[in-house]
């Protein structure tokens, strides 16, 4: 994959980048180019260009992308790793992707949760409310921070019908095991798009409830993604001890549509940087063996000995400096003859 | 055994918050004003409290170093940290206002110069009114700015209004109400929900009792 593309693609889809700016430069023929800010968008664009090769593509990626950080306003490099399933998305594909998300987090820690929500339900309740775009944005902002007290006041002061306000507050208050939340949700979603979103969630639950990590799934409607891109099931993963989300994904059919494709898409990305915090281990060894030699030792002999020690795959550092040997699992002193 | 860490803002708001916490059954060892110690444990409630600069509470909570914190809504509105806001503690009440010299009138032909400690709040407020502004970020004594001609108006917190009045300024607009909020790190809230909810409930009860006594 190329590290840069024409800027136009990203100019039209800035919201997908969560408000972070693209790093641009002018190429040698005067075209405005962008350092790639997002792998998913590049993948979708390239697949939309192709003639219908396979009905469903299953891809994984592991790439560095660049953006201007919203907080620091400086350029930053992000390592994005994730998967995309693009084409004909059925219940199985959805379950497969969500299962893989759980398995991916499970490799790093057993103590994790995956929050699940459905944009179809949120979108429908909000459109029923008749709220202006500005008010909808504010409602979503308060939902995302579980700010029930301010949301209640906002809804009371608005012209939104009580019954709709009640539903917004009820879905935000959903808590507990997946199955229990679903039965509560069925009292709230009575018709239309939210009813079919509900049945999708019910089918998901029954397909996944025999999976190893099923008890880590929770319904949480404070999880709201940009409605311009995410139209269905969305999910985020958290690990105990890591302060921010480690995984984020969902169904994002509107994005391929923006590139003129009628394919459906679901995927997730893992934040590799946030996972670094799990490896804050003071005991982690710099290497396996520190081979201490002295200036009088023959370079060729030290080289041979280091090579011999490395043959079983050990990480070996040959050094004259005692302080460099700190943190190695074993220290060996070269005796001049080889051991 | 300590299970929850809580960040408190140094200063008057933090002292008020501590009173509320003590009424809620969280009693860290007494704070000695001559000591520079900043971390206090209450083994009975399992809560560790530490004191930080008010504008830093949200950073400690967002980064998970504190599971929960008490921060003024002004700080939350200015920095928009990614965290949960669980309740309004209704202490430290004041208002975010626009103030100016007595007799000031908006001139729609000119760019308005605004001095403030809260550039994001000021920008968003005037954007919503489609008014073009020039922001001057200051760190303190904001009320000096219009008096000395540095700016046309200021956007700042007003409590009793004494400072404003004593400097011959007046409040020309109220932007929003400010008070202390209980905030929680998103990840902490998922794994320590019952402990954090228990603290919120205890604070709610303590707050209610305070209102009955006032």
């Amino acid at each position: 994959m190329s590290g840069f593309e024409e800027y136009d693609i990203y100019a039209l889809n800035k919201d997908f980048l969560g408000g972070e700016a693209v790093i641009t430069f002018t190429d040698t023929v005067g075209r405005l180019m962008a350092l790639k800010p997002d792998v998913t968008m590049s993948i979708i664009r390239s697949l939309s260009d192709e003639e219908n090769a396979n009905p469903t593509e299953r891809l994984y990626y592991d790439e560095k992308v660049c953006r201007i950080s919203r907080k620091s306003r400086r350029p930053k490099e992000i390592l994005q790793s994730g998967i995309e399933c693009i084409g004909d998305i059925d219940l199985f594909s959805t379950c497969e992707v969500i299962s893989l998300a759980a398995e991916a987090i499970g490799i790093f820690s057993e103590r994790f949760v995956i929050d699940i929500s459905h944009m179809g339900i949120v979108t429908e309740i909000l459109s029923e409310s008749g709220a202006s775009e500005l008010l909808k944005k504010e409602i979503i902002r308060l939902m995302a921070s579980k700010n029930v007290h301010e949301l209640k006041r906002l809804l009371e002061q608005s012209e939104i019908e009580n019954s709709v306000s009640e539903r917004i507050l009820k879905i935000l208050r959903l808590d507990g095991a997946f199955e229990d939340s679903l039965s509560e949700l069925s009292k709230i979603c009575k018709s239309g798009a939210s009813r079919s979103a509900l049945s999708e969630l019910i089918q998901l639950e029954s397909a996944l409830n025999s999976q190893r990590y099923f008890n880590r799934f929770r319904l949480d409607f404070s999880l709201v993604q940009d409605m311009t891109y995410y139209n269905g099931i969305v999910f985020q993963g958290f690990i105990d001890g890591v302060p921010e989300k480690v995984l984020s994904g969902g169904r994002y059919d509107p994005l391929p549509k923006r590139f003129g494709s009628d394919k459906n898409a679901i995927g997730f990305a893992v934040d590799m940087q946030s996972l670094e915090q799990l490896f804050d281990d003071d005991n982690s060894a710099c290497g396996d063996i520190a081979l201490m030699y002295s200036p009088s030792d023959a370079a060729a002999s030290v080289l041979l000995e280091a090579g011999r020690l490395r043959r079983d795959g050990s990480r070996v550092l040959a050094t004259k400096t005692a302080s460099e040997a700190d943190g190695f699992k074993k220290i060996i002193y070269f005796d001049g003859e080889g051991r | 055994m300590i299970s929850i860490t809580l960040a408190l803002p140094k200063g008057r708001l933090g002292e008020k918050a501590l009173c509320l916490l003590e009424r809620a059954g969280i009693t860290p060892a007494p704070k000695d004003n001559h000591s520079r110690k900043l971390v206090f444990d209450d083994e009975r409630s399992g809560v560790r409290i530490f004191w930080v600069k008010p504008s830093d509470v949200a950073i400690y909570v967002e980064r998970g170093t504190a599971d929960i914190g008490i921060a003024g809504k002004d700080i939350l509105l200015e920095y928009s940290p990614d965290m949960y806001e669980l309740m309004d503690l209704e202490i430290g009440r004041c208002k975010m206002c626009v103030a100016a010299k007595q007799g000031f009138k908006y001139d729609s032909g000119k760019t308005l110069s605004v001095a403030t400690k809260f550039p994001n709040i000021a920008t968003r407020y005037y954007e919503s009114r489609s008014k073009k502004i020039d922001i001057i970020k200051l760190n303190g004594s904001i009320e000096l700015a219009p008096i000395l001609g540095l700016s046309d108006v200021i956007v700042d917190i007003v409590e009793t209004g004494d400072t404003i009045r004593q400097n011959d300024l007046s409040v020309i607009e109220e932007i929003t109400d400010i008070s202390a909020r209980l905030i929680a790190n998103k990840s902490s809230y998922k794994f320590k929900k019952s402990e954090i909810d228990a603290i919120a409930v205890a604070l709610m009860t303590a707050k209610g009792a305070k209102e009955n006594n006032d």
Side-chain angles (χ1 to χ4, degrees):
Chain A
M1 264 193 145
S2 172
F4 37 86
E5 306 192 30
E6 288 196 36
Y7 175 66
D8 291 344
I9 314 155
Y10 304 109
L12 297 166
N13 294 293
K14 278 188 230 168
D15 295 334
F16 193 73
L17 306 175
E20 294 200 313
V22 179
I23 299 173
T24 56
F25 64 95
T26 311
D27 72 0
T28 49
V29 296
R31 275 184 315 180
L32 189 60
M33 305 293 282
L35 290 185
K36 212 205 315 291
D38 188 78
V39 181
T40 303
M41 224 189 283
S42 292
I43 293 175
I44 294 294
R45 183 179 163 262
S46 64
L47 286 180
S48 303
D49 281 348
E50 282 172 18
E51 295 301 304
N52 281 321
N54 298 322
T56 308
E57 291 278 356
R58 290 174 182 78
L59 305 168
Y60 79 93
Y61 59 85
D62 196 9
E63 307 262 333
K64 273 205 179 130
V65 294
C66 306
R67 292 189 204 171
I68 309 272
S69 159
R70 199 167 22 133
K71 293 238 152 146
S72 70
R73 313 245 183 105
R74 305 184 70 87
K76 64 175 184 183
E77 260 188 332
I78 309 166
L79 187 56
Q80 279 191 335
S81 298
I83 67 168
E84 311 290 358
C85 184
I86 299 155
D88 175 24
I89 308 294
D90 58 2
L91 175 65
F92 172 74
S93 306
T94 306
C95 288
E96 189 175 38
V97 166
I98 294 183
S99 271
L100 276 171
E103 297 285 334
I105 303 184
I107 291 172
F108 295 96
S109 171
E110 288 286 313
R111 289 188 54 80
F112 70 90
V113 296
I114 295 196
D115 287 342
I116 299 179
S117 176
H118 200 301
M119 293 315 297
I121 294 177
V122 178
T123 313
E124 197 199 54
I125 298 181
L126 284 179
S127 68
E128 239 179 84
S129 71
S132 66
E133 285 312 306
L134 206 63
L135 183 56
K136 279 185 196 170
K137 253 192 168 167
E138 186 59 16
I139 292 172
I140 287 185
R141 199 185 59 81
L142 293 172
M143 283 177 75
S145 56
K146 289 199 195 263
N147 193 337
V148 175
H149 62 271
E150 272 190 41
L151 184 56
K152 252 180 159 170
R153 205 170 44 217
L154 180 74
L155 292 170
E156 272 161 24
Q157 288 169 355
S158 74
E159 286 170 5
I160 298 176
E161 264 185 54
N162 278 346
S163 58
V164 179
S165 295
E166 272 309 307
R167 287 168 71 205
I168 295 174
L169 292 167
K170 274 194 178 136
I171 62 168
L172 190 57
R173 287 191 175 119
L174 286 177
D175 190 14
F178 199 359
E179 209 179 7
D180 300 331
S181 301
L182 275 179
S183 67
E184 280 303 307
L185 193 60
S186 63
K187 299 176 198 161
I188 305 167
C189 301
K190 294 288 180 127
S191 58
S194 62
R195 194 78 193 168
S196 50
L198 171 70
S199 72
E200 202 185 330
L201 288 171
I202 291 173
Q203 287 177 324
L204 190 73
E205 191 269 337
S206 62
L208 287 175
N209 64 16
S210 52
Q211 290 292 299
R212 177 157 66 127
Y213 290 124
F214 179 69
N215 67 352
R216 311 297 206 279
F217 297 127
R218 299 255 180 290
L219 267 188
D220 189 336
F221 282 91
S222 71
L223 163 54
V224 275
Q225 296 279 30
D226 191 327
M227 294 189 296
T228 338
Y229 296 101
Y230 292 91
N231 61 319
I233 287 181
V234 288
F235 49 94
Q236 279 180 359
F238 290 83
I239 291 178
D240 191 6
V242 179
E244 64 267 341
K245 63 179 187 284
V246 296
L247 179 149
S248 181
R251 183 77 183 262
Y252 57 98
D253 301 342
L255 186 65
K257 226 191 201 82
R258 283 184 160 226
F259 290 107
S261 166
D262 57 4
K263 293 187 188 196
N264 296 329
I266 185 170
F268 65 79
V270 176
D271 184 346
M272 300 304 279
Q273 222 145 307
S274 67
L275 288 172
E276 275 175 11
Q277 289 162 87
L278 290 171
F279 300 103
D280 261 345
D281 187 11
D282 290 327
N283 298 324
S284 67
C286 306
D288 302 306
I289 303 173
L291 174 65
M292 299 292 306
Y293 69 93
S294 64
S296 55
D297 292 325
S301 313
V302 176
L303 211 49
L304 269 170
E305 179 60 11
R308 193 188 66 79
L309 292 167
R310 284 185 187 119
R311 236 174 265 148
D312 64 0
S314 294
R315 288 168 299 161
V316 178
L317 171 76
T319 177
K320 294 181 302 223
T321 318
S323 57
E324 282 190 354
D326 285 343
F328 278 77
K329 291 189 189 139
K330 204 160 65 167
I331 299 178
I332 293 178
Y333 292 89
F334 183 69
D335 66 3
E337 304 290 323
R339 308 185 89 252
Chain B
M1 203 201 65
I2 298 296
S3 54
I4 298 284
T5 41
L6 186 158
L8 281 182
K10 285 194 217 178
R12 271 194 3 249
L13 181 61
E15 301 294 336
K16 285 187 186 166
L18 191 61
C19 287
L20 203 59
L21 285 163
E22 284 168 352
R23 262 204 296 272
I26 297 165
T27 41
K31 189 164 182 282
D32 173 4
N33 284 328
H34 301 291
S35 155
R36 284 187 167 270
K37 189 162 182 251
L38 292 164
V39 184
F40 301 88
D41 289 355
D42 176 16
E43 292 290 338
R44 210 176 44 88
S45 61
V47 178
R48 165 168 295 158
I49 289 183
F50 56 88
W51 300 83
V52 296
K53 197 161 169 222
S55 48
D56 290 345
V57 171
I59 298 171
Y60 278 85
V61 173
E62 198 178 27
R63 295 267 183 162
T65 308
D67 296 308
I68 56 177
I70 292 178
K73 187 69 182 178
D74 53 326
I75 302 294
L76 301 180
L77 286 172
E78 180 61 21
Y79 298 108
S80 305
D82 186 21
M83 32 96 270
Y84 293 137
E85 184 180 315
L86 299 179
M87 63 184 282
D88 184 349
L89 297 168
E90 293 177 14
I91 54 172
R93 279 170 149 150
C94 48
K95 290 185 191 284
M96 185 69 67
C97 296
V98 180
K101 283 213 296 237
Q102 300 273 8
F104 171 83
K105 285 214 167 13
Y106 279 119
D107 178 352
S108 55
K110 261 179 53 186
T111 303
L112 183 75
S113 59
V114 181
T116 184
K117 249 166 70 173
F118 307 99
N120 289 331
I121 294 177
T123 304
R124 279 200 308 267
Y125 177 69
Y126 281 106
E127 245 168 30
S128 73
R129 275 149 181 70
S130 304
K131 184 135 186 76
K132 197 154 164 275
I133 61 172
D134 172 28
I135 289 268
I136 303 164
K137 174 145 181 11
L138 296 176
N139 294 302
S141 302
I142 319 289
E143 54 282 338
L144 271 178
I147 299 168
L148 298 177
L150 178 63
S151 72
D152 297 317
V153 303
I154 60 172
V155 166
D156 201 10
I157 294 179
V158 177
E159 207 173 340
T160 56
D162 284 344
T163 316
I164 296 285
R165 274 189 299 272
Q166 281 165 16
N167 286 286
D168 279 331
L169 302 175
S170 60
V171 170
I172 54 175
E173 272 152 32
E174 285 179 7
I175 296 178
T176 188
D177 290 329
I178 303 290
S179 57
R181 310 294 165 101
L182 178 69
I183 57 175
N185 174 271
K186 285 189 169 178
S187 184
S188 297
Y189 193 61
K190 289 174 201 303
F191 299 101
K192 299 182 186 181
K193 188 169 190 297
S194 50
E195 293 98 314
I196 294 176
D197 279 346
I199 292 174
V201 167
L203 283 168
M204 188 81 78
T205 315
K207 187 183 74 154
K210 176 182 182 293
E211 277 159 18
N212 288 333
N213 289 335
D214 282 347

